[in-house]
Amino acid sequence: AQTVTQSQPEMSVQEAETVTLSCTYDTSENNYYLFWYKQPPSRQMILVIRQEAYKQQNATENRFSVNFQKAAKSFSLKISDSQLGDTAMYFCAFMKPLGPGTYKYIFGTGTRLKVLA
Amino acid sequence: NAGVTQTPKFQVLKTGQSMTLQCAQDMNHEYMSWYRQDPGMGLRLIHYSVGAGITDQGEVPNGYNVSRSTTEDFPLRLLSAAPSQTSVYFCASTLNNEQFFGPGTRLTVL
């Protein structure tokens, strides 16, 4: 069975600094996707970044980038130039397509990030 | 598009009461799912549906029922609420490997 582990329950970073959130997963599958979601105090789940396992190149979205190490089953999120609005809970998620229009998602337990002014 | 909508945003129930959490999406997505979010446990899948008329159990289905009579709507029913069902509930729809979440319902069972 697939598992997703986020070993850092809480982290803090100074505004404008860089922070890395860790995520490891366990799977025997070869075709899967990985995601980072942001959940601010508003509770809304917001997709930050996604990575297809078959792509070797690390995904990047503005200040957010990932370090995808497929062999090590590691998927860390780097936030550069941290902003106060980045304060949120961050969830790592694994997704495996099960067939046409069917998916299996596994979420980590989350990392609460606080950006300090 | 309104995306995924959920009602109500907040609800307080007494033990033993029943209620339905509403979820609707206007993106014509076939796959929809319900999660519960508890502190320190991430999101856990309750039930999911791959299309109208088809539903199946997820990781934590006990105490919950679902139905899918239309593509748009996927309500979640609590038949007899228990304090252990105090949680935040999210509905989501998925297309092309991307999941879209509703705003969530915070449910408290006293």
Side-chain angles (χ1 to χ4, degrees):
Chain A
Q2 292 86 7
T3 59
V4 176
T5 302
Q6 293 180 250
S7 59
Q8 305 151 314
E10 294 184 354
M11 296 187 72
S12 62
V13 62
Q14 291 291 331
E15 199 176 6
E17 296 294 309
T18 296
V19 64
T20 298
L21 281 58
S22 67
C23 173
T24 58
Y25 60 95
D26 187 23
T27 184
S28 58
E29 304 291 338
N30 201 42
N31 177 30
Y32 55 89
Y33 297 74
L34 296 163
F35 304 85
W36 278 98
Y37 286 90
K38 171 185 178 181
Q39 187 181 43
S42 67
R43 203 169 64 206
Q44 181 70 49
M45 292 287 285
I46 303 166
L47 178 63
V48 175
I49 201 165
R50 60 183 276 171
Q51 175 81 42
E52 292 88 343
Y54 63 85
K55 289 187 177 179
Q56 292 184 337
Q57 186 173 6
N58 289 326
T60 299
E61 288 288 343
N62 300 314
R63 297 183 295 107
F64 299 88
S65 61
V66 297
N67 183 6
F68 174 48
Q69 301 289 328
K70 190 171 183 180
K73 297 178 183 174
S74 171
F75 184 60
S76 60
L77 174 69
K78 186 172 81 171
I79 306 174
S80 303
D81 186 26
S82 298
Q83 300 175 359
L84 295 178
D86 296 333
T87 292
M89 180 75 88
Y90 287 82
F91 291 99
C92 178
F94 167 99
M95 188 279 280
K96 171 183 162 52
L98 297 179
T102 307
Y103 314 87
K104 179 177 182 180
Y105 282 86
I106 304 293
F107 286 82
T109 53
T111 295
R112 187 174 299 280
L113 177 68
K114 187 170 184 178
V115 180
L116 307 172
Chain B
N1 285 350
V4 180
T5 58
Q6 289 183 241
T7 56
K9 284 188 167 51
F10 300 93
Q11 183 71 48
V12 178
L13 293 177
K14 293 181 179 178
T15 297
Q17 286 185 314
S18 63
M19 79 158 296
T20 299
L21 306 184
Q22 302 291 345
C23 174
Q25 51 94 7
D26 59 359
M27 299 174 283
N28 203 34
H29 292 171
E30 294 292 338
Y31 187 89
M32 296 185 72
S33 47
W34 275 102
Y35 295 91
R36 60 178 289 171
Q37 181 183 7
D38 301 293
M41 302 189 76
L43 277 71
R44 293 182 293 167
L45 182 65
I46 304 172
H47 284 284
Y48 66 94
S49 169
V50 299
I54 306 170
T55 64
D56 206 346
Q57 297 180 349
E59 180 185 356
V60 287
N62 292 343
Y64 308 94
N65 280 355
V66 292
S67 59
R68 186 92 179 272
S69 57
T70 66
T71 299
E72 293 77 19
D73 300 299
F74 189 41
L76 177 72
R77 296 183 184 85
L78 284 71
L79 301 178
S80 178
S84 61
Q85 294 178 304
T86 292
S87 187
V88 178
Y89 292 86
F90 286 97
C91 178
S93 70
T94 305
L95 181 68
N96 294 335
N97 305 317
E98 184 168 351
Q99 195 159 215
F100 300 84
F101 286 90
T105 296
R106 180 176 292 280
L107 175 68
T108 301
V109 183
L110 303 175

